[in-house]
Structure formats: structure tokens, C-alpha cells
Amino acid sequence: DVQVQFLGRTTNLHSVWDGGLIRARGLRESAWDELLQHRLQTANPQQFLDGTVVDWANQSHDLARDKAYALPPSRQLDVTYATSRALLIEEALIRAGVRLGHLVNRALDPGYARN
């Protein structure tokens, strides 16, 4: 329900975070894949598995509260807003992929171990 101007277009904040920030990067799917694969190789994926699913949900909530809803009074989100949130989006995509893979492996493979 939070209406904003994102890069000159009226939309809602949910839409901005649901795909607008990704589209604003202007990367093709293959470029996103390459970028995220590189970032994953330089990260420690095990760190994303710490905690419980509830902890993960709370972490996402805290990021939304502290970053997504940290809006300028004008609610005009420009390139500066998009650029400053790009790293958060990349990290969220990596974290979500690692966590989803972990949950699927754990559900389907009785011999799966996190390490």
C-alpha cells in the first residue's frame, strides 16, 4: 500500500522490491547468473544456514524495516536509492537460493548433511 515514485514512475514499494530494483540494474538473466555465482564463490554459504527458518524470516523482516522502508519524505526513489540497495538485493538472492537448496535437499535426501 506504500505508494512511491521509482525512477520517475508511480508504483508501490512492494513492486519496487519484488522486481523493480532487479530490472533497474539492466542486467540480462545470464549476467545476473554470472554475478551471483561469482558472489557466491567469494562468500561462505554456510553462514546463510545459521539459525532457524523463523530466524531467517525475522532477518528478512528486519532488513525490510531498516532498508526497504527507509524512504525519503518525498517517497521519490531515484538511482541513488536503487544503487544503494543493489548489494542488499544480490545478498538476498544468494541467501534465498542457498537456503531453499538446503531445505529441498534436507526434505528429499535422508542422507543430506549441511556440511
Side-chain angles (χ1 to χ4, degrees), residues 24-73:
R25 288 290 300 271
L27 298 176
R28 301 182 75 157
E29 187 175 328
S30 59
W32 269 108
D33 182 50
E34 189 175 309
L35 172 70
L36 296 176
Q37 287 292 336
H38 175 72
R39 294 274 318 273
L40 184 57
Q41 290 173 2
T42 61
N44 175 13
Q46 290 301 124
Q47 71 184 348
F48 303 132
L49 300 177
D50 291 341
T52 66
V53 173
V54 172
D55 294 330
W56 301 346
N58 285 330
Q59 180 186 39
S60 293
H61 173 269
D62 293 348
L63 283 171
R65 181 195 60 224
D66 298 342
K67 301 297 182 182
Y69 286 93
L71 301 173

Short mmCIF file of all heavy atoms in Angstrom, two decimals, residues 24-73:
data_model
loop_
_atom_site.label_atom_id
_atom_site.label_comp_id
_atom_site.label_asym_id
_atom_site.label_seq_id
_atom_site.Cartn_x
_atom_site.Cartn_y
_atom_site.Cartn_z
N ALA A 24 15.99 -2.52 -12.68
CA ALA A 24 16.72 -1.25 -12.76
C ALA A 24 18.20 -1.47 -13.01
O ALA A 24 18.87 -0.59 -13.56
CB ALA A 24 16.51 -0.43 -11.49
N ARG A 25 18.72 -2.62 -12.63
CA ARG A 25 20.14 -2.91 -12.88
C ARG A 25 20.41 -3.08 -14.37
O ARG A 25 21.54 -2.93 -14.82
CB ARG A 25 20.58 -4.18 -12.14
CG ARG A 25 20.71 -4.08 -10.66
CD ARG A 25 21.88 -3.23 -10.19
NE ARG A 25 23.18 -3.68 -10.61
CZ ARG A 25 23.95 -4.53 -9.96
NH1 ARG A 25 23.54 -5.05 -8.83
NH2 ARG A 25 25.12 -4.88 -10.43
N GLY A 26 19.38 -3.45 -15.12
CA GLY A 26 19.52 -3.59 -16.56
C GLY A 26 20.35 -4.79 -17.00
O GLY A 26 20.84 -4.81 -18.12
N LEU A 27 20.49 -5.77 -16.13
CA LEU A 27 21.27 -6.95 -16.48
C LEU A 27 20.38 -8.03 -17.08
O LEU A 27 19.24 -8.21 -16.65
CB LEU A 27 21.95 -7.52 -15.23
CG LEU A 27 22.95 -6.63 -14.52
CD1 LEU A 27 23.46 -7.31 -13.25
CD2 LEU A 27 24.10 -6.27 -15.43
N ARG A 28 20.91 -8.73 -18.04
CA ARG A 28 20.22 -9.89 -18.60
C ARG A 28 20.31 -11.03 -17.59
O ARG A 28 21.16 -11.02 -16.69
CB ARG A 28 20.86 -10.29 -19.91
CG ARG A 28 20.81 -9.15 -20.94
CD ARG A 28 21.38 -9.61 -22.21
NE ARG A 28 20.35 -10.49 -22.79
CZ ARG A 28 20.26 -10.77 -24.06
NH1 ARG A 28 21.12 -10.28 -24.90
NH2 ARG A 28 19.30 -11.55 -24.51
N GLU A 29 19.46 -12.02 -17.77
CA GLU A 29 19.44 -13.15 -16.84
C GLU A 29 20.80 -13.83 -16.74
O GLU A 29 21.26 -14.17 -15.66
CB GLU A 29 18.38 -14.16 -17.29
CG GLU A 29 18.17 -15.28 -16.30
CD GLU A 29 17.04 -16.19 -16.71
OE1 GLU A 29 16.07 -15.74 -17.34
OE2 GLU A 29 17.14 -17.38 -16.38
N SER A 30 21.48 -13.99 -17.87
CA SER A 30 22.79 -14.63 -17.84
C SER A 30 23.81 -13.80 -17.07
O SER A 30 24.67 -14.34 -16.37
CB SER A 30 23.29 -14.89 -19.27
OG SER A 30 23.39 -13.68 -19.99
N ALA A 31 23.70 -12.48 -17.17
CA ALA A 31 24.62 -11.61 -16.42
C ALA A 31 24.32 -11.69 -14.92
O ALA A 31 25.25 -11.69 -14.10
CB ALA A 31 24.51 -10.17 -16.91
N TRP A 32 23.04 -11.77 -14.55
CA TRP A 32 22.69 -11.95 -13.14
C TRP A 32 23.26 -13.26 -12.62
O TRP A 32 23.82 -13.32 -11.53
CB TRP A 32 21.16 -11.95 -12.94
CG TRP A 32 20.62 -10.61 -12.66
CD1 TRP A 32 19.87 -9.83 -13.50
CD2 TRP A 32 20.76 -9.85 -11.45
NE1 TRP A 32 19.55 -8.64 -12.89
CE2 TRP A 32 20.08 -8.63 -11.63
CE3 TRP A 32 21.39 -10.09 -10.24
CZ2 TRP A 32 20.02 -7.66 -10.64
CZ3 TRP A 32 21.33 -9.12 -9.26
CH2 TRP A 32 20.64 -7.92 -9.46
N ASP A 33 23.09 -14.32 -13.42
CA ASP A 33 23.60 -15.63 -13.02
C ASP A 33 25.10 -15.56 -12.77
O ASP A 33 25.60 -16.04 -11.75
CB ASP A 33 23.27 -16.67 -14.09
CG ASP A 33 23.73 -18.05 -13.70
OD1 ASP A 33 23.43 -18.50 -12.57
OD2 ASP A 33 24.41 -18.69 -14.52
N GLU A 34 25.81 -14.96 -13.69
CA GLU A 34 27.27 -14.85 -13.56
C GLU A 34 27.65 -14.03 -12.33
O GLU A 34 28.54 -14.41 -11.56
CB GLU A 34 27.85 -14.21 -14.83
CG GLU A 34 29.34 -14.24 -14.90
CD GLU A 34 29.84 -13.70 -16.24
OE1 GLU A 34 29.35 -14.15 -17.29
OE2 GLU A 34 30.70 -12.81 -16.20
N LEU A 35 26.97 -12.92 -12.13
CA LEU A 35 27.25 -12.05 -10.98
C LEU A 35 27.01 -12.79 -9.67
O LEU A 35 27.85 -12.78 -8.77
CB LEU A 35 26.36 -10.80 -11.05
CG LEU A 35 26.39 -9.89 -9.83
CD1 LEU A 35 27.73 -9.17 -9.72
CD2 LEU A 35 25.25 -8.89 -9.90
N LEU A 36 25.87 -13.45 -9.56
CA LEU A 36 25.54 -14.14 -8.32
C LEU A 36 26.43 -15.35 -8.08
O LEU A 36 26.81 -15.63 -6.94
CB LEU A 36 24.06 -14.53 -8.31
CG LEU A 36 23.09 -13.35 -8.33
CD1 LEU A 36 21.65 -13.85 -8.41
CD2 LEU A 36 23.28 -12.43 -7.15
N GLN A 37 26.78 -16.06 -9.15
CA GLN A 37 27.71 -17.18 -9.00
C GLN A 37 29.06 -16.70 -8.48
O GLN A 37 29.66 -17.33 -7.60
CB GLN A 37 27.90 -17.92 -10.34
CG GLN A 37 26.72 -18.75 -10.76
CD GLN A 37 26.48 -19.94 -9.85
OE1 GLN A 37 27.37 -20.44 -9.18
NE2 GLN A 37 25.25 -20.40 -9.83
N HIS A 38 29.54 -15.59 -9.02
CA HIS A 38 30.82 -15.02 -8.56
C HIS A 38 30.72 -14.62 -7.09
O HIS A 38 31.61 -14.90 -6.29
CB HIS A 38 31.22 -13.83 -9.42
CG HIS A 38 32.45 -13.14 -8.91
ND1 HIS A 38 33.71 -13.69 -9.01
CD2 HIS A 38 32.60 -11.97 -8.25
CE1 HIS A 38 34.59 -12.88 -8.45
NE2 HIS A 38 33.94 -11.83 -7.97
N ARG A 39 29.63 -13.94 -6.74
CA ARG A 39 29.45 -13.51 -5.35
C ARG A 39 29.37 -14.71 -4.41
O ARG A 39 29.90 -14.69 -3.30
CB ARG A 39 28.19 -12.65 -5.21
CG ARG A 39 28.21 -11.32 -5.90
CD ARG A 39 28.83 -10.19 -5.09
NE ARG A 39 28.47 -10.17 -3.71
CZ ARG A 39 27.40 -9.57 -3.19
NH1 ARG A 39 26.58 -8.92 -3.95
NH2 ARG A 39 27.17 -9.61 -1.89
N LEU A 40 28.70 -15.78 -4.87
CA LEU A 40 28.57 -16.97 -4.05
C LEU A 40 29.92 -17.63 -3.83
O LEU A 40 30.21 -18.13 -2.74
CB LEU A 40 27.59 -17.96 -4.69
CG LEU A 40 27.28 -19.22 -3.91
CD1 LEU A 40 26.72 -18.89 -2.53
CD2 LEU A 40 26.31 -20.09 -4.68
N GLN A 41 30.78 -17.62 -4.84
CA GLN A 41 32.11 -18.22 -4.72
C GLN A 41 32.98 -17.48 -3.73
O GLN A 41 33.89 -18.06 -3.14
CB GLN A 41 32.79 -18.28 -6.08
CG GLN A 41 32.16 -19.30 -7.01
CD GLN A 41 32.75 -19.23 -8.41
OE1 GLN A 41 33.65 -18.45 -8.70
NE2 GLN A 41 32.22 -20.05 -9.30
N THR A 42 32.73 -16.20 -3.55
CA THR A 42 33.54 -15.42 -2.61
C THR A 42 32.89 -15.32 -1.23
O THR A 42 33.42 -14.66 -0.35
CB THR A 42 33.79 -14.00 -3.17
OG1 THR A 42 32.55 -13.34 -3.35
CG2 THR A 42 34.55 -14.07 -4.49
N ALA A 43 31.73 -15.96 -1.08
CA ALA A 43 31.02 -15.93 0.21
C ALA A 43 31.20 -17.26 0.93
O ALA A 43 31.73 -18.21 0.37
CB ALA A 43 29.53 -15.67 -0.05
N ASN A 44 30.75 -17.29 2.13
CA ASN A 44 30.71 -18.52 2.91
C ASN A 44 29.24 -18.93 3.02
O ASN A 44 28.53 -18.44 3.90
CB ASN A 44 31.32 -18.30 4.29
CG ASN A 44 31.17 -19.51 5.18
OD1 ASN A 44 30.83 -20.60 4.73
ND2 ASN A 44 31.42 -19.31 6.47
N PRO A 45 28.76 -19.81 2.13
CA PRO A 45 27.34 -20.16 2.13
C PRO A 45 26.85 -20.76 3.45
O PRO A 45 25.67 -20.64 3.78
CB PRO A 45 27.18 -21.17 1.00
CG PRO A 45 28.49 -21.30 0.34
CD PRO A 45 29.50 -20.51 1.10
N GLN A 46 27.74 -21.37 4.20
CA GLN A 46 27.35 -21.96 5.47
C GLN A 46 26.77 -20.90 6.42
O GLN A 46 25.89 -21.19 7.21
CB GLN A 46 28.53 -22.66 6.13
CG GLN A 46 28.95 -23.93 5.43
CD GLN A 46 27.84 -24.97 5.35
OE1 GLN A 46 27.50 -25.42 4.28
NE2 GLN A 46 27.26 -25.33 6.47
N GLN A 47 27.25 -19.67 6.30
CA GLN A 47 26.77 -18.62 7.19
C GLN A 47 25.29 -18.35 6.98
O GLN A 47 24.59 -17.92 7.89
CB GLN A 47 27.56 -17.33 7.00
CG GLN A 47 27.27 -16.64 5.68
CD GLN A 47 28.12 -15.42 5.46
OE1 GLN A 47 28.79 -14.93 6.35
NE2 GLN A 47 28.09 -14.92 4.24
N PHE A 48 24.79 -18.61 5.77
CA PHE A 48 23.38 -18.35 5.48
C PHE A 48 22.47 -19.41 6.10
O PHE A 48 21.26 -19.22 6.15
CB PHE A 48 23.14 -18.29 3.97
CG PHE A 48 23.97 -17.27 3.28
CD1 PHE A 48 24.66 -17.58 2.14
CD2 PHE A 48 24.06 -15.97 3.76
CE1 PHE A 48 25.43 -16.63 1.47
CE2 PHE A 48 24.83 -15.01 3.12
CZ PHE A 48 25.52 -15.35 1.97
N LEU A 49 23.04 -20.52 6.55
CA LEU A 49 22.24 -21.61 7.10
C LEU A 49 22.15 -21.56 8.62
O LEU A 49 21.46 -22.37 9.21
CB LEU A 49 22.81 -22.95 6.64
CG LEU A 49 22.82 -23.16 5.12
CD1 LEU A 49 23.46 -24.50 4.78
CD2 LEU A 49 21.44 -23.03 4.53
N ASP A 50 22.86 -20.63 9.22
CA ASP A 50 22.78 -20.48 10.67
C ASP A 50 21.38 -20.05 11.07
O ASP A 50 20.74 -19.26 10.38
CB ASP A 50 23.80 -19.45 11.18
CG ASP A 50 25.23 -19.94 11.05
OD1 ASP A 50 25.44 -21.16 10.92
OD2 ASP A 50 26.15 -19.09 11.07
N GLY A 51 20.90 -20.55 12.18
CA GLY A 51 19.59 -20.18 12.68
C GLY A 51 18.49 -21.08 12.14
O GLY A 51 18.74 -22.06 11.44
N THR A 52 17.27 -20.71 12.48
CA THR A 52 16.09 -21.47 12.07
C THR A 52 15.35 -20.72 10.97
O THR A 52 15.68 -19.56 10.67
CB THR A 52 15.14 -21.64 13.27
OG1 THR A 52 14.65 -20.34 13.64
CG2 THR A 52 15.84 -22.28 14.47
N VAL A 53 14.33 -21.35 10.44
CA VAL A 53 13.51 -20.69 9.44
C VAL A 53 12.87 -19.43 10.03
O VAL A 53 12.75 -18.41 9.35
CB VAL A 53 12.45 -21.67 8.88
CG1 VAL A 53 11.47 -20.96 7.96
CG2 VAL A 53 13.12 -22.83 8.15
N VAL A 54 12.49 -19.49 11.28
CA VAL A 54 11.92 -18.32 11.95
C VAL A 54 12.97 -17.21 12.04
O VAL A 54 12.67 -16.03 11.79
CB VAL A 54 11.36 -18.68 13.34
CG1 VAL A 54 10.96 -17.44 14.13
CG2 VAL A 54 10.19 -19.64 13.21
N ASP A 55 14.21 -17.57 12.35
CA ASP A 55 15.29 -16.58 12.38
C ASP A 55 15.46 -15.94 11.01
O ASP A 55 15.68 -14.72 10.91
CB ASP A 55 16.62 -17.22 12.81
CG ASP A 55 16.61 -17.73 14.23
OD1 ASP A 55 15.90 -17.16 15.08
OD2 ASP A 55 17.33 -18.72 14.49
N TRP A 56 15.37 -16.75 9.95
CA TRP A 56 15.52 -16.24 8.59
C TRP A 56 14.40 -15.25 8.27
O TRP A 56 14.64 -14.20 7.68
CB TRP A 56 15.52 -17.37 7.58
CG TRP A 56 16.60 -18.39 7.76
CD1 TRP A 56 17.73 -18.29 8.54
CD2 TRP A 56 16.66 -19.67 7.15
NE1 TRP A 56 18.48 -19.44 8.45
CE2 TRP A 56 17.84 -20.31 7.61
CE3 TRP A 56 15.83 -20.36 6.28
CZ2 TRP A 56 18.21 -21.59 7.19
CZ3 TRP A 56 16.19 -21.63 5.87
CH2 TRP A 56 17.38 -22.24 6.32
N ALA A 57 13.18 -15.58 8.67
CA ALA A 57 12.05 -14.68 8.44
C ALA A 57 12.23 -13.38 9.20
O ALA A 57 11.98 -12.29 8.66
CB ALA A 57 10.74 -15.37 8.85
N ASN A 58 12.70 -13.48 10.42
CA ASN A 58 12.94 -12.26 11.22
C ASN A 58 14.05 -11.42 10.61
O ASN A 58 13.98 -10.19 10.62
CB ASN A 58 13.27 -12.62 12.67
CG ASN A 58 12.04 -13.05 13.44
OD1 ASN A 58 10.93 -12.61 13.16
ND2 ASN A 58 12.23 -13.94 14.41
N GLN A 59 15.08 -12.08 10.08
CA GLN A 59 16.16 -11.34 9.42
C GLN A 59 15.61 -10.57 8.22
O GLN A 59 15.94 -9.40 8.02
CB GLN A 59 17.24 -12.31 8.98
CG GLN A 59 18.41 -11.64 8.28
CD GLN A 59 19.41 -12.65 7.74
OE1 GLN A 59 19.03 -13.71 7.21
NE2 GLN A 59 20.68 -12.33 7.86
N SER A 60 14.78 -11.20 7.43
CA SER A 60 14.17 -10.54 6.27
C SER A 60 13.29 -9.37 6.72
O SER A 60 13.30 -8.31 6.11
CB SER A 60 13.35 -11.53 5.45
OG SER A 60 14.20 -12.47 4.86
N HIS A 61 12.53 -9.59 7.79
CA HIS A 61 11.68 -8.53 8.32
C HIS A 61 12.52 -7.33 8.75
O HIS A 61 12.19 -6.18 8.45
CB HIS A 61 10.86 -9.05 9.50
CG HIS A 61 10.09 -7.99 10.19
ND1 HIS A 61 10.59 -7.29 11.26
CD2 HIS A 61 8.86 -7.47 9.95
CE1 HIS A 61 9.71 -6.40 11.65
NE2 HIS A 61 8.65 -6.48 10.88
N ASP A 62 13.60 -7.61 9.45
CA ASP A 62 14.47 -6.53 9.93
C ASP A 62 15.08 -5.75 8.76
O ASP A 62 15.16 -4.52 8.80
CB ASP A 62 15.59 -7.07 10.82
CG ASP A 62 15.06 -7.62 12.14
OD1 ASP A 62 13.88 -7.39 12.48
OD2 ASP A 62 15.84 -8.32 12.82
N LEU A 63 15.50 -6.46 7.72
CA LEU A 63 16.05 -5.77 6.54
C LEU A 63 14.99 -4.91 5.86
O LEU A 63 15.27 -3.79 5.44
CB LEU A 63 16.62 -6.78 5.54
CG LEU A 63 17.98 -7.37 5.90
CD1 LEU A 63 18.34 -8.51 4.95
CD2 LEU A 63 19.05 -6.29 5.86
N ALA A 64 13.79 -5.44 5.76
CA ALA A 64 12.70 -4.66 5.16
C ALA A 64 12.44 -3.39 5.97
O ALA A 64 12.34 -2.29 5.42
CB ALA A 64 11.43 -5.50 5.05
N ARG A 65 12.35 -3.56 7.27
CA ARG A 65 12.08 -2.41 8.15
C ARG A 65 13.20 -1.36 8.06
O ARG A 65 12.93 -0.18 7.94
CB ARG A 65 11.94 -2.90 9.60
CG ARG A 65 11.63 -1.78 10.59
CD ARG A 65 11.85 -2.21 12.03
NE ARG A 65 13.25 -2.60 12.21
CZ ARG A 65 13.63 -3.68 12.88
NH1 ARG A 65 12.76 -4.48 13.44
NH2 ARG A 65 14.93 -3.96 13.00
N ASP A 66 14.45 -1.84 8.09
CA ASP A 66 15.58 -0.92 8.18
C ASP A 66 16.04 -0.37 6.83
O ASP A 66 16.64 0.70 6.79
CB ASP A 66 16.77 -1.62 8.85
CG ASP A 66 16.46 -2.03 10.28
OD1 ASP A 66 15.49 -1.50 10.88
OD2 ASP A 66 17.19 -2.89 10.80
N LYS A 67 15.79 -1.10 5.74
CA LYS A 67 16.30 -0.67 4.43
C LYS A 67 15.20 -0.36 3.43
O LYS A 67 15.20 0.70 2.82
CB LYS A 67 17.24 -1.75 3.85
CG LYS A 67 18.43 -2.07 4.71
CD LYS A 67 19.34 -0.88 4.88
CE LYS A 67 20.55 -1.24 5.72
NZ LYS A 67 21.43 -0.13 5.96
N ALA A 68 14.27 -1.27 3.26
CA ALA A 68 13.22 -1.05 2.25
C ALA A 68 12.32 0.12 2.63
O ALA A 68 11.98 0.94 1.79
CB ALA A 68 12.39 -2.32 2.06
N TYR A 69 11.94 0.18 3.90
CA TYR A 69 11.03 1.23 4.34
C TYR A 69 11.73 2.50 4.80
O TYR A 69 11.08 3.42 5.26
CB TYR A 69 10.11 0.70 5.44
CG TYR A 69 9.05 -0.22 4.88
CD1 TYR A 69 9.25 -1.59 4.83
CD2 TYR A 69 7.86 0.29 4.38
CE1 TYR A 69 8.30 -2.44 4.30
CE2 TYR A 69 6.89 -0.54 3.84
CZ TYR A 69 7.12 -1.92 3.81
OH TYR A 69 6.17 -2.75 3.28
N ALA A 70 13.04 2.55 4.65
CA ALA A 70 13.79 3.77 4.95
C ALA A 70 13.68 4.69 3.74
O ALA A 70 14.57 4.77 2.91
CB ALA A 70 15.24 3.44 5.26
N LEU A 71 12.55 5.35 3.65
CA LEU A 71 12.22 6.17 2.48
C LEU A 71 12.46 7.65 2.74
O LEU A 71 12.28 8.12 3.86
CB LEU A 71 10.74 5.98 2.12
CG LEU A 71 10.30 4.56 1.81
CD1 LEU A 71 8.78 4.52 1.63
CD2 LEU A 71 11.00 4.05 0.57
N PRO A 72 12.82 8.36 1.69
CA PRO A 72 12.88 9.81 1.84
C PRO A 72 11.45 10.35 2.02
O PRO A 72 10.49 9.71 1.56
CB PRO A 72 13.49 10.29 0.51
CG PRO A 72 13.25 9.18 -0.45
CD PRO A 72 13.17 7.92 0.34
N PRO A 73 11.30 11.48 2.69
CA PRO A 73 9.96 12.03 2.92
C PRO A 73 9.16 12.23 1.63
O PRO A 73 7.94 12.07 1.63
CB PRO A 73 10.23 13.37 3.61
CG PRO A 73 11.59 13.21 4.21
CD PRO A 73 12.35 12.29 3.32
#
